[in-house]
Amino acid sequence: MPRVISLPDVAPDTPSIAELRAALEQLDAARVPAWGAMDAPHMLCHCSRFMDLYLGRIAVPGWARLGSRLIGPLFLRSFLTKPIGATPRNMGTMPAIKARPDHNLEFAAERTRFLERLAEVEALEGVIQHAMYGAMKADDAKALVRHHTTHHFHQFGVV
């Protein structure tokens, strides 16, 4: 049986998946972010790709897997417990989950894709195999997706 990483509880102000769905209702294509270069469709695309990583749809090079499995749990612990607004802004993004600014994205399509991915993450159970971090509890994966999404929803002022 693979070693399952153990993570602390998510910051208490992190919304539930249902609360994130409700917050999404406040977002529209014209909303301007408080920081960063992404517009709303690109942010939703980025969050969907982040979830694709947790759903096993994005391949990760061996060197990145090795580094992530060595220092990833420390990195995840440091971010997971941060309250809304305390996560560093404008951090580097893995190219595979970056929403390219030169792509013209349609808000409604990205919103639909985001909601589909969110439902898939919500359905995760047991232990999953994360492409970068290895075996982790589905509840921890859900917490990390919730925390990441909250960070970006905060960027757009909907949480």
Side-chain angles (χ1 to χ4, degrees):
M1 173 154 220
R3 180 181 67 87
V4 178
I5 64 171
S6 180
L7 298 175
D9 289 339
V10 69
D13 64 348
T14 303
S16 67
I17 288 178
E19 291 168 327
L20 290 173
R21 278 192 192 95
L24 179 61
E25 296 302 317
Q26 300 174 49
L27 185 67
D28 61 45
R31 188 167 292 250
V32 177
W35 73 87
M38 289 188 289
D39 61 14
H42 283 83
M43 179 272 289
L44 290 173
C45 176
H46 166 67
C47 288
S48 293
R49 288 183 180 170
F50 184 86
M51 288 185 271
D52 282 338
L53 185 63
Y54 282 73
L55 294 165
R57 293 190 177 114
I58 294 179
V60 176
W63 62 267
R65 274 194 316 274
L66 178 62
S68 296
R69 290 179 189 191
L70 291 174
I71 63 168
L74 294 173
F75 172 78
L76 295 175
R77 281 183 191 95
S78 73
F79 282 94
L80 193 60
T81 58
K82 290 188 184 308
I84 295 173
T87 302
R89 299 173 178 183
N90 300 316
M91 290 180 54
T93 302
M94 185 175 129
I97 64 170
K98 197 171 207 170
R100 293 187 41 184
D102 59 331
H103 288 176
N104 188 16
L105 301 176
E106 203 264 327
F107 180 79
E110 294 306 324
R111 183 183 182 283
T112 297
R113 191 169 89 117
F114 172 86
L115 287 169
E116 289 169 354
R117 297 305 186 274
L118 194 61
E120 289 180 77
V121 167
E122 188 175 32
L124 293 174
E125 294 182 357
V127 174
I128 68 161
Q129 190 64 35
H130 189 282
M132 291 173 62
Y133 306 118
M136 69 170 36
K137 291 180 266 181
D139 285 345
D140 286 343
K142 291 176 196 180
L144 288 161
V145 166
R146 288 175 34 232
H147 193 272
H148 177 259
T149 302
T150 299
H151 171 72
H152 286 293
F153 278 21
H154 174 68
Q155 177 184 15
F156 281 80
V158 296
V159 294

